[in-house]
């Protein structure tokens, strides 16, 4: 067979294959002739990559035979998004679970239409996978020349965007639970460790307290016991110590311990650390123990050291219990457990609960709160808004790379509540700023984001709460501004049939 004959047969086979696809089934003879002339067939080996996530989109791809598997790396894990296969095509133009029947026979249209990059990686699944590529200019000419193509493509496009949003919501829910669990575990670690340590040390501390009490009782006169009683009362009335310089506190501890050792105390370090933790100056104890005789003073100092140790352990237990309760309450409020989906809520509480959940990621970042007093409550879906706050704060933390200032502002302005999340990070480039709320658009490295976080936040704010979300940015100053109506949106008017 001549080369011309072979070429003619191949063109006829391609023409028949294209015409058998739903997306090209309504084309005229002339349109089919043009389509065949601009087609670029390609045979892929099993596992061969057709395009990669993050590459600039260059072609619209139509699957003729075999299969394609579309994957995306999210946070280091490869996820299978969808599979395209000619075996799914039974020739019937039906939908399966809402999926248009044509959806498994072409890919790549979304990044071309949005002038972006591929949002996933596609590779051949099985031997002899054949695809036809249509470069970007040809694809747009195809939409102009072949109106029937758009009629099939647009429902598939809408379904893919919706499916991606559903997947993103599920992923966001799982990530939120993971963040919640990690944050809770990190925050519970300190109070739980304090409880465990205090419980372990409390028994020997009480034994020391009992022993020193007997020794002090035997050594002291009635007048000296009155001195100790007064000191105990003063200790009970001491205000919480101010935040002090650690070096100054260490110096005070050493000075008190040296004085106690010179006075004959058996455990001068115990007294020094206990007194310094309370913020006592080095001369506080000597002044109050001036009425105790030198031979009774060692017993008095050892008893005071044991008393301060027991008080310190009890204070740790008292502080740890409420802290654990606060963390559990913050977690419950963040997730809105046991609440109706739509409810009255305070925006500032949601922001604070978000900060608790993300505290580990915010280490090293200065947090500035500017909440106007007397803010009214809103009616809406606080659980969904907490996803928005988490997304905005998390993005801000990433932009600052662990160092900077996060500013949260909340104020009532006219008929809206305004929430601003500001950071001092690298900023968003001016040419990128108008696109950050578009679906699948991301400035993060491949595998670091889905491009749907801000889009879902936009949907939650605008569609679920009838508000708005905007961004302002320059290097060193980025502000995400969310406006939420103070009054709930009126219900849609009833229609009569």
């Amino acid at each position: 067979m001549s080369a011309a004959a072979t070429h003619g047969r191949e063109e006829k086979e391609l023409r028949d294959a294209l015409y058998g696809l739903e997306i090209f089934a309504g084309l005229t003879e002339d349109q089919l002739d043009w389509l065949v002339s601009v087609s670029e067939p390609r045979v892929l080996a099993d596992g061969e990559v057709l395009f990669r996530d993050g590459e600039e989109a260059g072609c619209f791809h139509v699957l003729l035979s075999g299969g394609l598997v579309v994957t995306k790396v999210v946070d280091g894990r490869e996820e299978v998004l969808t599979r395209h296969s000619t075996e799914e095509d039974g020739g019937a133009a039906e939908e399966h679970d809402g999926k248009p029947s044509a959806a498994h026979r072409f890919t790549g249209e979304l990044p071309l239409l949005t002038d972006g990059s591929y949002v996933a990686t596609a590779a051949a699944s099985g031997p002899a996978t054949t695809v036809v590529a249509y470069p970007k200019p040809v694809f747009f000419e195809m939409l102009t020349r072949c109106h029937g193509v758009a009629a099939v493509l647009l429902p598939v496009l809408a379904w893919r965007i919706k499916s991606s949003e559903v997947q993103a919501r599920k992923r966001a829910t799982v990530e939120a639970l993971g963040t919640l669990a990690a944050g809770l575990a990190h925050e519970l670690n300190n109070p739980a460790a304090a409880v465990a340590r205090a419980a372990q040390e409390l028994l020997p501390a009480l034994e020391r307290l009992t022993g020193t009490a007997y020794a002090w009782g035997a050594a002291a006169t009635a007048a000296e016991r009155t001195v100790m009683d007064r000191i105990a009362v003063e200790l009970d009335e001491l205000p919480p110590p101010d935040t002090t310089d650690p070096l100054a506190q260490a110096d005070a501890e050493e000075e008190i311990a040296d004085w106690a050792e010179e006075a004959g105390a058996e455990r001068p370090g115990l007294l020094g650390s206990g007194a310094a933790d309370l913020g006592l100056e080095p001369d506080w104890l000597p002044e109050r123990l001036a009425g105790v005789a030198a031979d009774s003073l060692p017993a008095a100092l050892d008893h005071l050291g044991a008393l301060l140790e027991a008080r310190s352990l009890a204070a740790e237990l008292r502080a740890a219990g409420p802290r654990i309760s606060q963390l559990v309450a913050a977690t419950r409020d963040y997730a809105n457990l046991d609440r109706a989906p739509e409810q009255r809520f305070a925006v500032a509480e949601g922001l604070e609960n978000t900060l608790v959940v993300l505290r580990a990621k915010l280490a090293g970042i200065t947090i500035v709160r500017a909440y106007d007093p007397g803010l009214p409550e809103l009616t809406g879906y606080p659980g969904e808004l907490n996803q928005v706050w988490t997304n905005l704060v998390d993005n801000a933390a990433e932009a600052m790379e662990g160092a900077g200032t996060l500013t949260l502002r909340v104020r009532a302005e006219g008929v809206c509540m305004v929430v601003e999340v500001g950071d001092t990070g690298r900023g968003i480039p001016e040419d990128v700023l108008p696109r950050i709320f578009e679906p699948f658009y991301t400035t993060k490295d491949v595998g670091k984001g889905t491009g749907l976080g801000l889009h879902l936040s936009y949907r939650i704010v605008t569609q679920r709460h009838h508000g708005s979300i905007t961004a302002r940015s320059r290097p060193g100053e980025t502000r995400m501004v969310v406006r939420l109506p103070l009054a709930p949106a009126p219900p849609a008017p009833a229609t009569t049939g």
Side-chain angles (χ1 to χ4, degrees):
M1 184 179 293
S2 67
T6 300
H7 181 69
R9 180 175 59 81
E10 290 176 350
E11 280 196 349
K12 183 179 185 306
E13 290 176 352
L14 178 58
R15 179 191 181 95
D16 292 342
L18 294 175
Y19 188 70
L21 299 177
E22 183 181 344
I23 190 171
F24 300 135
L27 300 188
T28 65
E29 294 292 326
D30 290 342
Q31 289 171 336
L32 270 174
D33 289 339
W34 174 81
L35 189 65
V36 171
S37 70
V38 296
S39 296
E40 299 179 5
R42 179 181 174 187
V43 179
L44 304 174
D46 186 22
E48 185 176 352
V49 173
L50 180 61
F51 55 77
R52 295 186 184 277
D53 187 5
E55 289 180 351
E56 184 179 354
C59 291
F60 173 63
H61 298 281
V62 176
L63 179 64
L64 293 186
S65 64
L68 293 171
V69 59
V70 182
T71 61
K72 186 173 183 66
V73 176
V74 179
D75 295 331
R77 303 186 305 275
E78 186 177 49
E79 299 181 6
V80 176
L81 301 183
T82 186
R83 297 179 187 273
H84 302 290
S85 174
T86 55
E87 295 179 0
E88 298 179 41
D89 190 1
E94 299 177 352
E95 293 188 1
H96 304 280
D97 298 327
K99 177 180 180 181
S101 58
H104 59 274
R105 297 304 293 268
F106 58 83
T107 186
E109 76 287 348
L110 179 59
L112 291 178
L113 291 170
T114 58
D115 194 26
S117 302
Y118 291 117
V119 296
T121 298
S125 175
T129 293
T130 303
V131 299
V132 181
Y134 298 97
K136 186 175 182 178
V138 175
F139 171 67
F140 282 103
E141 187 175 353
M142 180 194 303
L143 296 179
T144 303
R145 280 176 174 258
C146 312
H147 297 159
V149 170
V152 177
L153 185 145
L154 290 178
V156 173
L157 182 63
W159 172 81
R160 282 185 176 151
I161 292 176
K162 182 178 179 181
S163 298
S164 297
E165 287 183 351
V166 170
Q167 289 180 346
R169 286 194 188 97
K170 291 179 180 178
R171 189 183 297 115
T173 299
V174 172
E175 289 176 353
L177 290 174
T179 301
L180 192 62
L184 184 61
H186 182 272
E187 290 302 308
L188 283 175
N189 183 61
N190 287 338
V195 169
R197 186 182 69 83
Q200 184 178 8
E201 296 181 3
L202 191 56
L203 181 59
L206 290 176
E207 290 175 349
R208 281 191 290 273
L209 181 62
T210 302
T212 58
Y214 279 121
W216 166 244
T221 64
E224 291 172 336
R225 284 194 288 272
T226 301
V227 171
M228 186 67 75
D229 290 342
R230 285 199 301 267
I231 292 176
V233 171
E234 282 195 64
L235 290 174
D236 286 336
E237 296 175 348
L238 282 176
D242 295 331
T243 302
T244 58
D245 180 358
L247 293 178
Q249 183 175 339
D251 290 343
E253 178 179 341
E254 184 178 359
E255 188 172 342
I256 294 171
D258 289 344
W259 168 75
E261 185 177 14
E262 291 177 2
E266 291 185 7
R267 299 177 64 88
L270 192 64
L271 179 64
S273 61
D277 286 345
L278 290 177
L280 300 182
E281 296 293 332
D283 58 355
W284 194 91
L285 285 173
E287 288 177 358
R288 285 157 180 77
L289 289 170
V292 177
D295 56 346
S296 303
L297 188 57
L301 297 178
D302 286 332
H303 182 53
L304 272 175
L307 179 63
L308 291 177
E309 180 188 26
R311 288 167 57 93
S312 175
L313 293 173
E316 285 187 32
L317 289 173
R318 284 198 305 270
R323 177 59 181 155
I324 291 173
S325 298
Q326 290 169 2
L327 289 170
V328 172
T331 302
R332 183 192 63 236
D333 292 342
Y334 176 85
N336 284 280
L337 301 176
D338 303 324
R339 305 279 189 92
E342 187 174 20
Q343 58 193 264
R344 298 287 292 174
F345 63 95
V347 169
E349 288 183 8
L351 290 169
E352 288 300 309
N353 293 333
T354 300
L355 294 178
V356 170
V357 171
L358 295 177
R359 192 189 303 271
K361 195 162 189 175
L362 297 172
I365 292 175
T366 302
I367 300 173
V368 176
R369 299 167 174 85
Y371 305 155
D372 281 2
L375 291 169
E377 291 187 332
L378 299 183
T379 299
Y381 305 90
E384 295 181 18
L385 283 174
N386 283 343
Q387 292 184 21
V388 175
W389 312 142
T390 300
N391 199 352
L392 299 184
V393 172
D394 186 70
N395 286 348
E398 287 192 4
M400 290 185 285
E401 299 178 340
T405 301
L406 173 72
T407 303
L408 304 178
R409 292 187 175 91
V410 186
R411 65 182 183 275
E413 189 176 279
V415 296
C416 291
M417 179 86 73
V418 180
V419 181
E420 291 187 9
V421 178
D423 68 73
T424 56
R426 55 183 175 269
I428 304 171
E430 187 177 352
D431 59 329
V432 169
L433 198 59
R435 302 191 60 188
I436 61 173
F437 299 113
E438 292 180 11
F440 308 106
Y441 188 83
T442 179
T443 58
K444 297 180 181 178
D445 294 336
V446 174
K448 296 295 185 181
T450 63
L452 285 170
L454 285 178
H455 175 66
L456 291 178
S457 297
Y458 180 85
R459 293 279 298 271
I460 290 171
V461 171
T462 61
Q463 296 188 15
R464 294 286 279 173
H465 293 86
H466 308 283
S468 67
I469 177 170
T470 57
R472 306 170 188 171
S473 185
R474 61 184 181 183
E477 182 184 1
T478 296
R479 284 191 293 164
M480 307 298 294
V481 183
V482 176
R483 296 178 183 274
L484 301 168
L486 293 173
T495 57
T496 58

